[in-house]
Amino acid sequence: MSNSGWETVIGLEVHVQLATKTKIFSGASTTYGAEPNTQACAIDLAMPGTLPVLNKQAVHYAVMFGLAIDAEIGKESAFERKNYFYPDLPKGYQTTQLEKPIVGRGNVEIQMADGRTKNVRIHHAHLEEDAGKSLHEGDFRHGVSGIDLNRAGTPLIEIVSEPDMSNAEEAIAFAKKLHSIVTSIGICDGEMSQGSMRFDVNVSVRRTGTTELGTRTETKNLNSYKFMEEAIAKEVERQIDLIEDGGTVLQETRLYNGDTKVARSMRSKEEANDYRYFPCPDLLPVIVSDETIEELRRNLPELPDARQARFIEQYGLSAYDAAMIGSDAAMAAYFETATKESGNAKLAANWTMGELAARLNSEDLSINKSPVNAEQLGGLVARIADNSISGKMAKEVFEGMWAGEGSADEIIEARGLKQVSDSGALEQMVADVLAANQAMVDDYINTDEAKRKKKLGGFMGKIMQASKGQANPQQVNQILVQKLNELV
Amino acid sequence: MNIERQEIEKLATLARIAIDESTITEVAERLGSVLELVDQLQAADTSSLDGVSSGMQATQRLREDEVTEINQREALQATAPDTEEGLFLVPKVIE
Amino acid sequence: MHNLTIAELIKGLQSKEFTSVELTQHFLARIAALNSGYNAVITITADQALKAAAAADQRLAAGNAPALCGVPMLHKDIFCTNGVRTSCGSKMLDNFIPPYNATVVDNFEQAGAVVLGKTNMDEFAMGSSNETSFYGPVKNPWATDCVPGGSSGGSAAAVAARLAPGATATDTGGSIRQPAALCGITGLKPTYGRVSRWGMIAFASSLDQGGPMARTAEDCAIMLSCMASYDDKDSTCVDREVPDYSATLGKPIKGLRIGVPTEYFSEGLNPGTEQAVRAALAEFEAQGAELVEISLPNTGLSVPAYYVIAPAEASANLSRFDGVRYGYRCEDPKDLTDLYSRTRAEGFGEEVQRRILIGTYCLSAGYYDAYYGKAQQVRELIKQDFVTAFEKVDVIMGPTCPSPAFKFGSKGDDPVAMYLEDIYTIATNLAGLPGMSVPCGMVDDKPVGLQIIGNYFDEARMLNVAHQYQQATEWHSLAPEGITAPDGITATERAS
């Protein structure tokens, strides 16, 4: 299928769980993964007579987000009730913001792989409460759903973008940038697999050259960049096919199942879609003072763009490396610790982005859960930097650290991996190998000078073998060339 | 004030209240009577309020982000209609 | 003992004339003997009451007793009571036992009060006659073929019938004042935000307010001093010191400016009621108060505005009753929609369903501005009417309701006839002002209430004014037929 002749228009609504200790309206814990309904108090269960009281930290986190995207801060915001029935929504309404959100218009700059940048406008961001979860299978009888309300009342900000993105790459760059911002300022743990950030994607298509927006659909609750990319591709294709076949796109909510790769309309929730918003009478207008805003602004942690610039400046990283590491708050912190520990930023960067990232990725772990902590990696990098171990040995040490065998030095010691750099010992080793392999030496001497370099590998292999891999390769190479040239 | 049967059905769906077919006319009649009463509002001259903010002047107070609630699942589920393994059970949810 | 006021009971307990256990047994015996005639109490907590009474006696003996130590009372069944069924008058919550107390309940517990049980009420506080209760109507002790008013009809009837010296109640559109008037007792709805709403099952959150019911203003003052508190669990509760309302009851009212709104003496007011209220006003004049004619021009719009705002809020507040986590659930739901729709159709009574549907209608797309938006504007107009009035007067007085208690079923099938019963009380809820009802006469052997509306947080003055009136009059000490008043005069005798 070809999309030529068509333009795609994408807007995102992003739900970000705020990293507060407690719910937005109750003092129940928000810790992830607790036994069902053990973190759902009377307020979260909407027991009769219970009332909400707003969490200060949630308000401050929302304001911090506003400051991070240079948005207007709603100095007076208000909560409203959005009415609908669903078993994971205990009150029968969601307490959210509509008319007066806490964060107004703002801007987020995104950067594409080719270096191109683009501004995505933020329409607003508002505070609201998360719903619980409906479980469709588990240790309960068949044909029913089980409702766990631990998540109910977890504070969210919903960030609503303007439809400023025109392909999946931009949408994902935007999503990643938001992830980078909210984790950098510490208002969200960024754990996508736990639903800490969820994306609703609004997609419409129009013929190239036209300006009127087409009818959009909303694909809800995507929780990975990959699923987002797939869902957008599928939806764009579906809409184009539909219109080209003479049909029309219906404004609807859709679901995309990342496991089965199937997208479908979510009609059941759509019928009689009239949310009857009205101001929540249990909550008063939320006032954020200028003093509070200024204090939060002063204490706002470093933003990803500033951090990337600093990494280039302070550590001499390339723009690419700075972007890779600097966009992820946890990775950036990890890198800085490893650099401090090792004294070598470039090597620390390579190891953080290379071996570590690959390993975390393959085991689906976040950097916060890495079995090898930043101090440990720094210790390893230090030994590479001072030539104590070779790159090959370093990988072995890394494996050891990953398996929990201790620090780099402990593992090097325990496994006897320390590189031999003593030149006297190395000269003896090279001499022994040359003496034992006269045929190779003759071959080397008889080879044209220009082609002799290729013959070095054979000697190197034998020497390294003899040293059980512990010889410093650069030094060995130097001694070897010197000794062979003496023979020629 | 007349209120259409269709409208009653829509309200009943939104409010999740089953209305028996046989009483729908009566329900409509009585709702109509109340709506007639509240329709008197339409005649009210509220032009003097332009720019006046309504509601109370008080502002929302904020709670410190500290855990104050302990697990009380057993007590809270004591009168629940149907639970298993700590979950509230409902007929299958179809999204 | 049952004819003693709370103030007298406190004295008697402290001077060891009787013990709290004796008092509690006495009132429990009265409830056991008489309640079936009134249906005022729907849950009796005898064991707990006697235990609390015994504990109170120990504290009284030790000499460190708090304000209401050992005084028996009743809670309206809208206040959550830990471990005791809290039904809100509804089948929906017939089996609901909250594991927590309302703040009001905690406050009385801390003050040492002894809770005898829970009182009947209109379902979810929606009604003015107590006919909508799942537990059957409450009968007015003055005329058992008449309504006690609502929604706090159970509390009012219990106090009138001397089943308890005082009871808690709530008022969303007149639910304390109207039944107080119809049952010939004293009731006070405080300023919105004065009493915590935590644990008080919500009807219309921006209007609901808890308050005391007792036979005298003095007793209401004692109760309110305990009931009112700052509560950080209720965001709308106001952080403001609670005065000792008893301390200022004795102030002379000479020079008091009483606003008399023209609109409260218009068409529809029973002539006997008007006469009684005018006589009360004359009594205040005699005590040196000044009557000032005022106008509350938007009074007529208060009922329409209320019947948009209250049902709108209720439609959302009552969505939580869905058969999932607590309360009633229909038999064998075939799917989720069936679970919701049948649970709510079977669990809620007709009036509650009607108000949910009205609220849903007023908030739905296309109607919001015309109804909810407009009603909020009218609410502001009504508030401004009062603000203007209170620039010239200290309190406002008029009838609490248009006529004395009416017969069961007499309002017919049209809900609006019932709604108009609250024409004089609703405006104060919309404005958030305090209001009270004080007995001021008898019409057809049935009590008439004088309404006193005060400025924001001016409860102390209202109680003072009411107390001064009660010092000079006897209406508050009348007892219904069969229940002898302290001076031995029955109501009928006194009326003649």
Side-chain angles (χ1 to χ4, degrees):
Chain A
M1 188 218 64
S2 158
N3 291 358
S4 70
W6 292 92
E7 280 176 7
T8 305
V9 177
I10 301 170
L12 258 60
E13 290 168 25
V14 184
H15 289 92
V16 175
Q17 280 187 346
L18 299 177
T20 53
K21 292 201 273 288
T22 63
K23 306 279 176 82
I24 185 168
F25 298 124
S26 84
S29 170
T30 53
T31 310
Y32 181 81
E35 284 292 302
N37 291 310
T38 55
Q39 289 182 173
C41 70
I43 296 170
D44 306 324
L45 296 185
M47 300 294 273
T50 60
L51 295 167
V53 183
L54 184 57
N55 184 335
K56 185 201 253 176
Q57 190 67 69
V59 173
H60 287 186
Y61 280 168
V63 171
M64 283 165 69
F65 175 74
L67 294 171
I69 61 160
D70 203 18
E72 304 156 19
I73 304 300
K75 289 179 189 167
E76 180 179 335
S77 65
F79 283 96
E80 300 186 60
R81 294 179 177 180
K82 177 183 182 181
N83 294 284
Y84 65 93
F85 284 88
Y86 212 65
D88 64 12
L89 187 72
K91 296 193 292 288
Y93 56 83
Q94 181 192 30
T95 307
T96 179
Q97 299 188 309
L98 180 73
E99 295 288 335
K100 291 180 176 176
I102 189 150
V103 175
R105 297 190 171 281
N107 293 286
V108 170
E109 191 179 77
I110 57 171
Q111 190 164 21
M112 259 55 70
D114 61 7
R116 189 168 53 90
T117 61
K118 183 170 187 175
N119 183 57
V120 175
R121 292 166 301 155
I122 302 299
H123 181 270
H124 77 272
H126 62 261
L127 271 168
E128 62 183 25
E129 58 185 337
D130 209 343
K133 279 182 182 164
S134 305
L135 309 173
H136 307 305
E137 48 199 67
D139 284 337
F140 48 87
R141 59 179 196 271
H142 187 69
V144 300
S145 293
I147 309 299
D148 175 8
L149 296 170
N150 280 348
R151 196 179 70 178
T154 297
L156 297 175
I157 47 170
E158 180 176 334
I159 303 162
V160 180
S161 86
E162 296 286 359
D164 286 352
M165 290 149 280
S166 46
N167 54 49
E169 191 204 350
E170 290 179 3
I172 287 161
F174 174 69
K176 286 185 172 169
K177 186 62 178 280
L178 286 184
H179 184 274
S180 173
I181 292 171
V182 298
T183 52
S184 294
I185 60 176
I187 66 170
C188 174
D189 66 15
E191 299 285 355
M192 310 264 287
S193 62
Q194 296 176 6
S196 295
M197 275 183 91
R198 298 169 336 242
F199 304 92
D200 299 346
V201 182
N202 293 307
V203 175
S204 66
V205 297
R206 64 183 172 205
R207 295 205 186 263
T208 308
T210 56
T211 51
E212 202 180 324
L213 288 172
T215 304
R216 67 187 166 89
T217 63
E218 181 181 22
T219 303
K220 273 191 154 350
N221 256 327
L222 299 161
N223 67 351
S224 85
Y225 303 131
K226 184 163 155 270
F227 293 167
M228 239 174 88
E229 187 167 13
E230 291 167 2
I232 291 170
K234 260 197 194 318
E235 182 57 14
V236 168
E237 187 180 330
R238 188 188 71 89
Q239 290 188 12
I240 294 173
D241 285 354
L242 194 62
I243 299 169
E244 285 184 341
D245 290 348
T248 49
V249 175
L250 292 177
Q251 186 167 347
E252 62 180 2
T253 305
R254 299 179 62 81
L255 279 181
Y256 175 71
N257 185 325
D259 298 324
T260 59
K261 313 289 175 211
V262 174
R264 64 174 172 86
S265 175
M266 199 175 160
R267 293 220 171 75
S268 63
K269 207 167 178 174
E270 283 298 283
E271 62 177 358
N273 182 356
D274 183 345
Y275 292 126
R276 291 157 285 136
Y277 282 94
F278 75 103
C280 179
D282 287 329
L283 293 161
L284 302 168
V286 181
I287 307 295
V288 185
S289 69
D290 290 336
E291 294 74 47
T292 302
I293 293 172
E294 282 321 306
E295 195 189 325
L296 292 170
R297 194 195 302 277
R298 267 199 310 281
N299 296 320
L300 195 67
E302 189 174 35
L303 290 169
D305 289 351
R307 185 166 51 222
Q308 288 169 35
R310 180 168 63 83
F311 281 9
I312 294 169
E313 169 80 24
Q314 184 178 342
Y315 299 115
L317 297 191
S318 69
Y320 178 80
D321 288 0
M324 280 291 286
I325 296 178
S327 65
D328 185 307
M331 196 190 257
Y334 191 104
F335 157 75
E336 293 210 82
T337 305
T339 298
K340 200 174 160 208
E341 193 73 19
S342 65
N344 190 319
K346 183 64 194 160
L347 267 179
N350 286 347
W351 274 83
T352 307
M353 289 186 300
E355 200 68 18
L356 178 78
R359 193 61 193 269
L360 290 170
N361 196 36
S362 74
E363 302 209 2
D364 206 15
L365 285 172
S366 74
I367 199 161
N368 294 321
K369 304 263 160 63
S370 171
V372 177
N373 68 32
E375 285 79 8
Q376 282 177 296
L377 191 80
L380 174 63
V381 168
R383 294 292 81 83
I384 304 167
D386 68 11
N387 281 328
S388 295
I389 53 171
S390 66
K392 195 172 162 223
M393 281 191 247
K395 286 189 180 156
E396 192 182 334
V397 175
F398 182 81
E399 288 307 317
M401 294 195 301
W402 190 274
E405 290 171 23
S407 71
D409 286 342
E410 284 162 359
I411 294 166
I412 291 166
E413 181 68 32
R415 296 195 181 187
L417 293 173
K418 198 157 174 65
Q419 185 159 267
V420 179
S421 303
D422 170 16
S423 48
L426 289 177
E427 281 191 30
Q428 189 56 52
M429 214 180 278
V430 173
D432 289 351
V433 168
L434 294 184
N437 294 283
Q438 194 54 49
M440 281 174 75
V441 173
D442 292 344
D443 180 44
Y444 181 86
I445 294 165
N446 296 330
T447 303
D448 280 356
E449 195 178 341
K451 293 180 183 167
R452 277 183 192 150
K453 212 174 178 181
K454 283 188 185 162
K455 301 281 177 185
L456 289 174
F459 293 107
M460 282 298 288
K462 296 230 179 261
I463 298 164
M464 292 310 284
Q465 204 177 358
S467 77
K468 298 193 182 81
Q470 281 170 264
N472 181 323
Q474 280 91 39
Q475 264 180 292
V476 169
N477 192 55
Q478 212 178 351
I479 295 166
L480 179 66
V481 172
Q482 191 193 337
K483 280 199 185 296
L484 284 169
N485 287 347
E486 282 167 14
L487 296 171
V488 174
Chain B
M1 189 176 142
N2 273 335
I3 175 160
E4 304 283 328
R5 157 183 290 260
Q6 235 180 323
E7 193 127 36
I8 296 286
E9 283 164 357
K10 192 188 124 202
L11 292 176
T13 306
L14 279 175
R16 299 293 189 277
I17 294 177
I19 296 181
D20 195 77
E21 195 52 37
S22 64
T23 62
I24 210 158
T25 317
E26 199 183 316
V27 170
E29 215 167 87
R30 292 184 185 169
L31 276 192
S33 153
V34 178
L35 292 173
E36 208 163 290
L37 167 79
V38 302
D39 256 343
Q40 292 172 19
L41 288 174
Q42 306 318 324
D45 176 10
T46 52
S47 56
S48 64
L49 291 172
D50 288 346
V52 175
S53 77
S54 96
M56 270 150 291
Q57 301 306 306
T59 63
Q60 179 62 36
R61 63 174 159 267
L62 303 173
R63 177 176 60 78
E64 293 301 323
D65 184 24
E66 279 155 17
V67 176
T68 53
E69 300 289 338
I70 49 157
N71 173 24
Q72 285 204 70
R73 186 172 78 181
E74 205 177 324
L76 291 167
Q77 292 190 341
T79 64
D82 194 1
T83 57
E84 216 174 299
E85 301 288 327
L87 295 160
F88 297 100
L89 299 189
V90 296
K92 194 120 195 139
V93 176
I94 301 156
E95 277 170 342
Chain C
M1 278 192 282
H2 55 268
N3 277 319
L4 299 178
T5 64
I6 292 174
E8 290 162 345
L9 291 175
I10 291 171
K11 272 192 206 125
L13 284 164
Q14 284 173 352
S15 62
K16 317 281 190 291
E17 272 174 62
F18 39 78
T19 66
S20 176
V21 169
E22 284 165 359
L23 206 52
T24 302
Q25 280 168 337
H26 177 77
F27 279 107
L28 286 171
R30 282 187 67 76
I31 293 171
L34 299 170
N35 186 50
S36 60
Y38 307 119
N39 195 25
V41 183
I42 51 175
T43 301
I44 302 164
T45 52
D47 291 350
Q48 282 154 278
L50 288 168
K51 243 180 250 166
D57 282 333
Q58 281 184 351
R59 294 174 82 176
L60 284 159
N64 59 352
L68 281 161
C69 194
V71 177
M73 58 168 295
L74 289 160
H75 282 305
K76 184 177 181 180
D77 208 22
I78 199 168
F79 291 103
C80 287
T81 40
N82 193 347
V84 175
R85 196 256 319 256
T86 301
S87 72
C88 223
S90 181
K91 179 181 178 183
M92 190 61 93
L93 292 178
D94 183 45
N95 65 353
F96 177 63
I97 300 170
Y100 47 89
N101 271 341
T103 297
V104 161
V105 172
D106 273 340
N107 287 352
F108 278 105
E109 201 173 292
Q110 269 154 32
V114 173
V115 180
L116 303 169
K118 310 284 296 279
T119 62
N120 202 349
M121 57 183 283
D122 276 301
E123 184 179 9
F124 286 103
M126 297 179 189
S128 306
S129 68
N130 233 293
E131 290 169 293
T132 73
S133 171
F134 172 62
Y135 302 96
V138 176
K139 291 170 186 167
N140 191 320
W142 294 89
T144 50
D145 59 344
C146 286
V147 305
S151 66
S152 312
S155 290
V159 171
R162 274 70 170 163
L163 304 183
T168 56
T170 62
D171 190 316
T172 305
S175 282
I176 289 177
R177 292 157 289 160
Q178 185 253 12
L182 267 46
C183 290
I185 62 162
T186 305
L188 170 70
K189 177 206 101 75
T191 308
Y192 183 80
R194 178 76 285 183
V195 170
S196 169
R197 293 188 297 115
W198 171 264
M200 188 178 110
I201 299 174
F203 159 17
S205 314
S206 76
L207 302 162
D208 296 342
Q209 186 61 199
M213 278 184 162
R215 293 203 302 279
T216 66
E218 185 184 19
D219 286 0
C220 283
I222 294 168
M223 285 180 75
L224 184 63
S225 297
C226 158
M227 198 169 181
S229 63
Y230 166 66
D231 181 8
D232 56 18
K233 295 205 292 274
D234 172 4
S235 299
T236 62
C237 191
V238 177
D239 188 2
R240 190 183 170 113
E241 201 186 335
V242 180
D244 176 0
Y245 294 107
S246 304
T248 46
L249 292 173
K251 280 163 63 174
I253 60 164
K254 192 167 171 14
L256 181 79
R257 296 168 302 166
I258 300 172
V260 183
T262 323
E263 293 79 5
Y264 283 35
F265 294 86
S266 55
E267 200 186 342
L269 179 61
N270 176 299
T273 299
E274 173 164 5
Q275 211 178 355
V277 171
R278 295 236 184 250
L281 292 173
E283 168 59 33
F284 282 107
E285 247 184 329
Q287 290 193 26
E290 176 197 350
L291 301 186
V292 183
E293 194 172 322
I294 59 163
S295 175
L296 299 169
N298 292 293
T299 301
L301 289 170
S302 63
V303 176
Y306 177 88
Y307 279 96
V308 171
I309 293 166
E313 292 183 11
S315 71
N317 282 334
L318 271 61
S319 290
R320 65 188 60 197
F321 304 106
D322 58 5
V324 175
R325 297 166 310 284
Y326 49 78
Y328 179 76
R329 173 185 281 205
C330 69
E331 295 281 335
D332 301 319
K334 67 175 175 13
D335 56 28
L336 198 55
T337 306
D338 188 44
L339 166 72
Y340 287 146
S341 305
R342 240 170 358 101
T343 293
R344 292 164 61 77
E346 294 166 13
F348 290 139
E350 189 189 325
E351 182 62 26
V352 172
Q353 292 185 30
R354 175 156 47 237
R355 295 203 194 183
I356 291 173
L357 293 175
I358 292 165
T360 304
Y361 180 90
C362 293
L363 291 173
S364 60
Y367 297 110
Y368 180 91
D369 289 340
Y371 289 104
Y372 187 82
K374 190 78 176 182
Q376 287 293 9
Q377 288 183 314
V378 168
R379 183 176 189 171
E380 188 61 33
L381 289 179
I382 289 166
K383 199 171 147 187
Q384 288 180 3
D385 280 357
F386 281 110
V387 169
T388 308
F390 279 116
E391 284 165 7
K392 289 183 294 191
V393 300
D394 303 310
V395 291
I396 293 169
M397 290 189 192
T400 305
C401 28
S403 52
F406 47 92
K407 287 203 161 60
F408 287 106
S410 64
K411 297 282 176 187
D413 287 338
D414 183 2
V416 173
M418 187 72 81
Y419 297 172
L420 292 171
E421 178 68 14
D422 295 331
I423 178 124
Y424 303 133
T425 50
I426 272 175
T428 55
N429 296 80
L430 289 169
L433 289 165
M436 70 186 292
S437 181
V438 176
C440 73
M442 298 291 288
V443 172
D444 305 332
D445 299 337
K446 287 180 284 192
V448 172
L450 168 76
Q451 184 174 208
I452 305 172
I453 299 168
N455 210 337
Y456 296 103
F457 296 100
D458 211 10
E459 287 86 356
R461 189 202 302 262
M462 296 159 66
L463 287 160
N464 166 221
V465 166
H467 180 70
Q468 289 304 310
Y469 175 74
Q470 291 182 339
Q471 292 300 98
T473 58
E474 300 274 353
W475 301 111
H476 61 284
S477 44
L478 296 194
E481 200 79 48
I483 295 163
T484 328
D487 57 4
I489 307 171
T490 67
T492 330
E493 284 164 0
R494 194 176 314 266
S496 58

